[in-house]
Amino acid sequence: MKLKKISEEELNELFQKSKISKRKRIMKVFQDDSYKGVHVCLNIIQPDSYMQPHLRYKDEIILYHSGRLCSLWFDKEGNITEKNYLNKDSPFLFLPKKTFHTIVSLEENSSIWLILKGPHNPNNFSEYLKNTPNENEDYYNYFKSLKEQSTNHI
């Protein structure tokens, strides 16, 4: 695999692209799906980005890059079971496979590194939490409640 880097200029371009994207986030992937080694992605998430709660079929490591974020964990019924902040004072989070979660950005230009074992199979990668709105539905009130839960006790 060829060495991949990200420059300050490219990073600033990604911040700008995330602000104008429909989903208010953008992901920079550093390897091909077929790569069997560790997969690394930079996920830039703006405060208005709703990410439907989901789980992954593999363990995931999340490393803080910039801003402030909150990872909310859920049980199968959709109740929040854990709240983890990602910032410069708390930069690491291990997310066990099959843990329903979402990430809420609490500050403009927040970003995280995602680290997963490869290869990536888009047909067997993640599953959404039932009874939560998807990104194409009216998620405003649900997302508002997630933001409120994320900002309690900061």
Side-chain angles (χ1 to χ4, degrees):
M1 183 168 102
K2 186 178 174 184
L3 179 65
K4 305 256 178 138
K5 302 182 208 177
I6 187 166
S7 68
E8 191 71 27
E9 180 181 338
E10 184 180 6
L11 184 59
N12 288 329
E13 287 175 16
L14 291 169
F15 283 137
Q16 293 308 313
K17 286 180 181 179
S18 70
K19 290 176 184 177
I20 61 173
S21 76
K22 180 181 177 186
R23 299 171 76 195
K24 301 298 181 205
R25 67 179 181 273
I26 195 164
M27 188 175 295
K28 167 76 175 172
V29 179
F30 288 86
Q31 62 289 309
D32 296 327
D33 284 353
S34 62
Y35 181 63
K36 293 181 181 177
V38 174
H39 283 226
V40 177
C41 308
L42 179 64
N43 197 354
I44 297 172
I45 309 166
Q46 299 298 335
D48 289 332
S49 178
Y50 167 67
M51 193 179 304
Q52 184 178 3
H54 59 283
L55 60 76
R56 303 252 191 259
Y57 296 125
K58 296 180 181 181
D59 294 335
E60 186 173 0
I61 293 173
I62 301 174
L63 297 173
Y64 165 81
H65 179 261
S66 66
R68 284 185 319 124
L69 306 106
C70 181
S71 173
L72 299 172
W73 296 10
F74 303 85
D75 62 21
K76 292 177 185 175
E77 288 75 41
N79 301 303
I80 295 173
T81 59
E82 197 167 323
K83 181 172 23 177
N84 299 284
Y85 293 103
L86 289 154
N87 54 50
K88 63 184 175 185
D89 297 323
S90 181
F92 174 84
L93 182 61
F94 176 77
L95 191 61
K97 65 182 176 182
K98 298 188 178 179
T99 301
F100 283 108
H101 67 283
T102 190
I103 302 278
V104 177
S105 170
L106 304 174
E107 190 174 290
E108 186 176 277
N109 293 341
S110 293
S111 56
I112 52 175
W113 293 102
L114 302 177
I115 302 169
L116 300 150
K117 185 179 180 323
H120 174 67
N121 179 352
N123 298 319
N124 189 24
F125 181 63
S126 63
E127 174 182 320
Y128 293 107
L129 180 61
K130 291 180 181 170
N131 300 319
T132 59
N134 70 44
E135 295 175 18
N136 296 318
E137 296 176 329
D138 180 9
Y139 56 77
Y140 177 81
N141 288 330
Y142 181 69
F143 185 43
K144 182 179 175 185
S145 73
L146 294 179
K147 285 181 173 182
E148 289 169 357
Q149 288 292 321
S150 297
T151 56
N152 289 343
H153 300 65
I154 288 184

